[in-house]
């Protein structure tokens, strides 16, 4: 996905606003809000969003026993504690604070259905101003495939040529980064902390605008990012990372407690 360290304290669920969109299965805009409620529903009615809404896309039901709301909460917590909190990517903190991260929860159970949702979300992202939605997380908690199958069938979209072949016209405007609960780098031991660089509580396809990536590159934010992530993750250690992900699983199971992991 995207990252940078939090500068001024942690956001909590009480600081988040969730606005239901009209152009995907179930989607939310996540960001800072100072109101009294953790969840404040609303509707965005931009014609650009509504035109890409497929007729047969319906809101998902509970996924593997995890209600939609908890999938969302767990995903937000992952962005805060793992992506931003562990400083793994230069693209995450700004859109998180600006309320410009779109979380699209899909009911897709097959790769084909997931790719259909990704296609819709690519179109929606490009039809929306960057200040409104900077990046999209397509979360697929129904997708019950192991990491090897995910890597060969979905993660290939990270390759620009494969992305262009699958979705013509998007490769020069969108970059894809994929995450899986059991991600493992080739040649890296299973218990190596480095594998957590691309782990997430659910299969996730992150859609990044290439303009946003280009700005980060020009600002020097991506210099030595792989080396920095490797050093940071191994410094944190496997036990700390396992604890972070144990808390994410607890959130998904409805056993979330107030958390403030050290970063």
């Amino acid at each position: 996905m995207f990252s940078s360290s939090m500068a001024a304290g942690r956001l909590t669920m009480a600081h988040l606003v969730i606005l239901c969109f009209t152009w995907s299965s179930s989607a939310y805009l996540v960001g800072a809000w100072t109101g009294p409620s953790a969840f404040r529903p609303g509707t965005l009615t931009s014609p650009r969003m509504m035109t890409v809404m497929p007729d047969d896309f319906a809101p998902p039901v509970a996924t593997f026993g995890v209600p939609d709301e908890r999938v969302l909460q767990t995903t937000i917590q992952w962005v805060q504690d793992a992506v931003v909190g562990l400083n793994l990517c230069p693209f995450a903190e700004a859109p998180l604070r600006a309320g410009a991260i779109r979380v699209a929860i899909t009911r897709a159970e097959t790769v084909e259905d997931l790719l259909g949702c990704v296609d819709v979300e690519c179109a929606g992202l490009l039809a929306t101003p960057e200040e409104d939605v900077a990046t999209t997380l397509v979360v697929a908690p129904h997708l019950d495939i192991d990491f090897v199958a995910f890597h060969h069938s979905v993660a290939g979209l990270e390759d620009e040529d494969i992305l262009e072949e699958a979705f013509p016209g998007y490769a020069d405007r969108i970059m894809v980064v994929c995450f899986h609960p059991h991600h493992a780098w080739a040649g890296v031991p299973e218990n190596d902390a480095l594998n957590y660089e691309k782990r997430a509580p659910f299969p996730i396809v992150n859609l990044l605008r290439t303009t946003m990536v280009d700005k980060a590159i020009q600002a020097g934010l991506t210099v030595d990012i792989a080396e920095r992530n490797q050093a940071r993750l191994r410094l944190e250690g496997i036990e700390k990372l396992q604890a972070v992900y144990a808390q994410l699983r607890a959130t998904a199971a409805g056993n979330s407690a107030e958390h403030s992991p050290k970063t």
Side-chain angles (χ1 to χ4, degrees):
M1 179 182 162
F2 32 55
S3 177
S4 163
S5 62
M6 286 279 222
R10 310 191 63 76
L11 293 175
T12 68
M13 287 304 296
H15 299 125
L16 298 175
V17 60
I18 299 157
L19 301 176
C20 295
F21 277 63
T22 57
W23 46 273
S24 185
S25 52
S26 178
Y28 307 86
L29 190 65
V30 178
W33 182 61
T34 57
S37 169
F39 295 97
R40 184 180 181 182
T43 303
L44 298 184
T45 56
S46 166
R48 291 171 303 200
M49 296 180 185
M50 295 177 71
T51 55
V52 297
M53 171 65 181
D55 293 336
D56 59 349
F57 258 68
V61 294
T63 58
F64 291 118
V66 181
D68 204 40
E69 181 180 294
R70 287 212 299 271
V71 173
L72 174 65
Q73 183 179 3
T74 304
T75 302
I76 295 167
Q77 186 177 325
W78 170 70
V79 174
Q80 294 177 322
D81 293 349
V83 179
V84 173
L86 294 174
N87 194 20
L88 297 180
C89 168
F91 314 122
E93 184 177 352
L96 176 63
R97 289 188 174 279
I101 297 176
R102 176 177 165 82
V103 177
I105 303 171
T106 175
R107 62 179 181 176
E109 298 180 6
T110 67
V111 169
E112 182 180 6
D113 288 344
L114 172 58
L115 295 180
C117 183
V118 169
D119 191 8
V120 169
E121 291 297 321
C122 283
L125 181 63
L126 294 175
T128 309
E130 183 173 338
E131 60 268 24
D132 293 334
V133 179
T135 184
T136 298
L137 298 173
V138 182
V139 185
H142 284 271
L143 191 69
D144 190 19
I145 61 174
D146 63 23
F147 170 65
V148 173
F150 181 80
H151 176 73
H152 288 298
S153 60
V154 179
L157 294 175
E158 294 180 350
D159 182 277
E160 184 176 345
D161 292 335
I162 294 176
L163 178 61
E164 177 61 27
E165 182 179 353
F167 306 121
Y170 292 153
D172 61 340
R173 294 183 289 170
I174 287 179
M175 177 182 291
V176 172
V177 182
C178 297
F179 300 84
H180 190 276
H182 304 293
H183 174 88
W185 290 109
V188 174
E190 170 65 23
N191 63 348
D192 194 305
L194 182 58
N195 291 318
Y196 283 84
E197 184 179 32
K198 293 188 66 180
R199 287 191 180 179
F202 312 104
I204 293 176
V205 179
N206 180 208
L207 308 178
L208 292 162
R209 297 175 187 266
T210 56
T211 52
M212 188 169 68
V213 176
D214 290 343
K215 289 175 185 176
I217 293 173
Q218 292 168 6
L221 299 178
T222 61
V223 175
D224 298 328
I225 187 171
E227 292 79 5
R228 286 189 281 113
N229 284 353
Q230 176 175 304
R232 178 63 188 269
L233 287 166
R234 288 176 173 165
L235 178 64
E236 292 291 339
I238 192 69
E239 292 184 1
K240 163 66 181 296
L241 295 169
Q242 288 173 339
V244 169
Y245 278 77
Q247 179 60 58
L248 292 172
R249 289 192 296 273
T251 299
N255 299 320
S256 177
E258 189 68 27
H259 65 285
S260 55
K262 298 177 182 178
T263 58

